[in-house]
Amino acid sequence: MVHLRQADLYNRLLRALDPEDFAVLQPALRPEDMLLRQMLIAPHTRIDTVYFVESGIVSVTNDGASGRVEIGLIGREGLVGASPILLGDDRTPYTHFVQAAGHMLSVDAQVLLKLAEARPAMRRLFLRYIHTHFAQTAQTAFANARGNTGTRLARWLLMYHDRSAGDVVTVTQEFMSLMLGVERPGVTQALRVLERDGLVRTHRGLVRIVDRDGLLRLVGDSYGTAEAEYDRLIGGPTAPTD
């Protein structure tokens, strides 16, 4: 058994737990690598394991006959598989897969549920996280309805940046077009405009965030609601301190 110190973790939910609640959960946590394109939760399939992301990014997608579109992102602020398990179900219609490799802590879904049911403060924290994730999904719908490809791309880059350790987004234009549900030429043109305006720099398979404040001005009210809700309801340090 690996002993994990709460103060050494990067996952903001685990860091926000009451120390007594973390001490009860800690023995059930299993450190694992999070591999690129790894399927964590398949749609319409029983969820046996949920995951606290320590580093890396998980995409939540709606997959249909017409293609795949991203509806959510989960990084070190979150718990993959939280909503169905804590709201009384054991499956989801959405795919959860690793978009950026990293590390995670896995836990048996039913163990987490039993602990949360027995410990009100733990359950309240996790339910607050579910609320913020719902807010992110609603904000995505708003951005898709009101924004053009450029603002939608800028918002996506900000969300990726929030969940990254640095300023580089390692992703191809083809993948961005898939996640945003737009044609690749539209993404290419939008990236050119962002680069022309000094907001990003691009290289093959890489986008470097140069001017985050400029991206924030561009997206306006398409970004920030879910992030503000997270800070209001959960908050807490974002990384260990030496």
Side-chain angles (χ1 to χ4, degrees):
M1 180 187 300
V2 177
H3 181 74
L4 301 167
R5 292 179 66 248
Q6 187 176 17
D8 292 337
L9 299 180
Y10 286 84
N11 185 276
R12 293 179 65 183
L13 275 181
L14 292 177
R15 290 175 63 80
L17 278 172
D18 181 278
E20 291 186 4
D21 286 341
F22 178 79
V24 172
L25 176 61
Q26 187 274 331
L29 297 172
R30 301 181 296 264
E32 295 186 27
D33 290 332
M34 203 166 75
L35 306 177
L36 185 65
R37 304 291 186 267
Q38 179 181 358
M39 177 77 72
L40 297 182
I41 296 176
H44 309 292
T45 302
R46 178 184 171 88
I47 300 171
D48 293 318
T49 308
V50 294
Y51 309 89
F52 293 94
V53 178
E54 277 282 279
S55 64
I57 299 174
V58 174
S59 282
V60 184
T61 62
N62 186 80
D63 301 346
S66 59
R68 165 179 283 181
V69 176
E70 185 176 76
I71 58 174
L73 282 177
I74 302 173
R76 57 194 172 193
E77 84 290 347
L79 170 61
V80 181
S83 299
I85 293 302
L86 293 169
L87 296 179
D89 201 357
D90 66 353
R91 63 200 62 207
T92 173
Y94 306 116
T95 300
H96 297 62
F97 73 95
V98 178
Q99 182 184 127
H103 302 280
M104 59 191 177
L105 298 170
S106 65
V107 59
D108 292 342
Q110 291 306 308
V111 169
L112 182 78
L113 178 61
K114 288 178 181 177
L115 288 175
E117 288 177 340
R119 305 188 74 86
M122 179 187 292
R123 180 174 178 81
R124 182 167 58 250
L125 177 70
F126 293 159
L127 290 178
R128 286 181 170 187
Y129 167 68
I130 291 172
H131 166 76
T132 67
H133 192 69
F134 285 166
Q136 182 195 121
T137 303
Q139 194 76 2
T140 298
F142 174 82
N144 290 348
R146 292 293 185 91
N148 56 31
T149 299
T151 57
R152 290 172 60 195
L153 176 60
R155 175 179 179 265
W156 186 86
L157 290 171
L158 285 167
M159 292 172 65
Y160 195 110
H161 193 221
D162 289 342
R163 293 162 175 82
S164 300
D167 295 328
V168 175
V169 176
T170 307
V171 64
T172 64
Q173 292 185 26
E174 182 178 1
F175 189 76
M176 282 189 280
S177 69
L178 180 69
M179 292 297 97
L180 292 172
V182 299
E183 298 295 329
R184 180 174 174 176
V187 170
T188 300
Q189 179 59 30
L191 276 173
R192 286 173 180 164
V193 172
L194 295 180
E195 189 164 28
R196 180 202 68 195
D197 293 342
L199 305 179
V200 303
R201 283 201 299 269
T202 64
H203 189 61
R204 187 181 300 274
L206 298 174
V207 179
R208 180 178 294 277
I209 308 297
V210 176
D211 183 358
R212 180 179 172 90
D213 289 340
L215 289 173
L216 288 168
R217 288 191 294 271
L218 176 63
V219 301
D221 57 2
S222 292
Y223 168 90
T225 298
E227 291 75 16
E229 284 294 274
Y230 192 101
D231 288 341
R232 180 178 71 86
L233 293 172
I234 298 171
T238 59
T241 56
D242 295 331

